[in-house]
Amino acid sequence: NWNSVITLNEGMNEIYAEIIRVFGDTAVSSSKVINYYSEPCIKINAPINNSDTFSNSIIVSGTALNCKSGDSVVIYKNNEIQSVSQVYSNMNWSDMISLSGLNDKISVKLTDKFNRTSYDTVTVSYYSGLSISITSPGIIMKQELHILQYLEMLREMETEI
């Protein structure tokens, strides 16, 4: 028995093995192997890089190339696993994750059946709901409002006269 590791090119490959015995006679065997797979590739289509959102739950989605339906897609937020998904038959993938704040780093890792990997990363900032409240001057504003209403009432009375 014998074995050897070879690197296949994309497309058609012809492999030859030649045995030379002690007496000088040879035997040759060949086989054709088609390699349809380039390195896998994953791309995040949404959200776009350096985007902002007011929603803490977002759908991360994208496309994959040179892989098969069912290959693994792991989604990370700030280097922590958030979700394990898979490539669909249309070579898309998606899943929902939660954001935590400014500059969350969202990464995805595609692993194909040959255990080859591909990565993509975007940065997203989550802003919680903004609110405005007037805390000062509370009473003074109410008094000013009453004065303005009184002046408006006087103007209306003047125009009627």
Side-chain angles (χ1 to χ4, degrees):
N1 289 336
W2 64 275
N3 65 39
S4 180
V5 176
I6 61 170
T7 301
L8 296 176
N9 296 319
E10 187 173 353
M12 177 65 73
N13 294 266
E14 194 158 3
I15 301 166
Y16 295 93
E18 180 179 18
I19 298 174
I20 303 173
R21 296 188 336 159
V22 176
F23 302 111
D25 56 334
T26 63
V28 176
S29 181
S30 67
S31 180
K32 291 182 180 180
V33 177
I34 299 174
N35 179 13
Y36 291 109
Y37 295 101
S38 294
E39 292 294 314
C41 182
I42 191 163
K43 171 130 178 61
I44 299 172
N45 295 335
I48 60 172
N49 192 32
N50 295 319
S51 60
D52 298 331
T53 181
F54 291 111
S55 177
N56 71 331
S57 294
I58 61 168
I59 295 177
V60 181
S61 63
T63 54
L65 297 172
N66 304 323
C67 62
K68 292 284 188 188
S69 173
D71 284 347
S72 170
V73 176
V74 180
I75 303 173
Y76 300 85
K77 178 186 73 184
N78 301 325
N79 298 318
E80 293 183 12
I81 293 177
Q82 300 297 302
S83 167
V84 177
S85 187
Q86 64 181 349
V87 176
Y88 306 131
S89 60
N90 61 0
M91 294 298 112
N92 292 327
W93 55 269
S94 68
D95 215 340
M96 184 173 282
I97 67 164
S98 295
L99 297 174
S100 57
L102 300 178
N103 298 315
D104 280 333
K105 184 174 118 182
I106 309 302
S107 301
V108 291
K109 175 185 173 185
L110 167 65
T111 305
D112 71 6
K113 68 179 182 176
F114 302 110
N115 212 31
R116 299 178 302 173
T117 56
S118 177
Y119 300 88
D120 195 14
T121 301
V122 297
T123 301
V124 179
S125 291
Y126 162 63
Y127 296 92
S128 61
L130 302 175
S131 63
I132 297 175
S133 62
I134 298 174
T135 58
S136 177
I139 296 174
I140 296 172
M141 286 186 68
K142 288 180 182 176
Q143 290 173 346
E144 288 176 355
L145 181 60
H146 289 298
I147 293 169
L148 289 174
Q149 288 173 339
Y150 177 74
L151 292 172
E152 182 64 29
M153 184 181 73
L154 287 176
R155 274 193 216 113
E156 287 177 7
M157 288 174 58
E158 282 181 353
T159 55
E160 290 178 4
I161 297 180

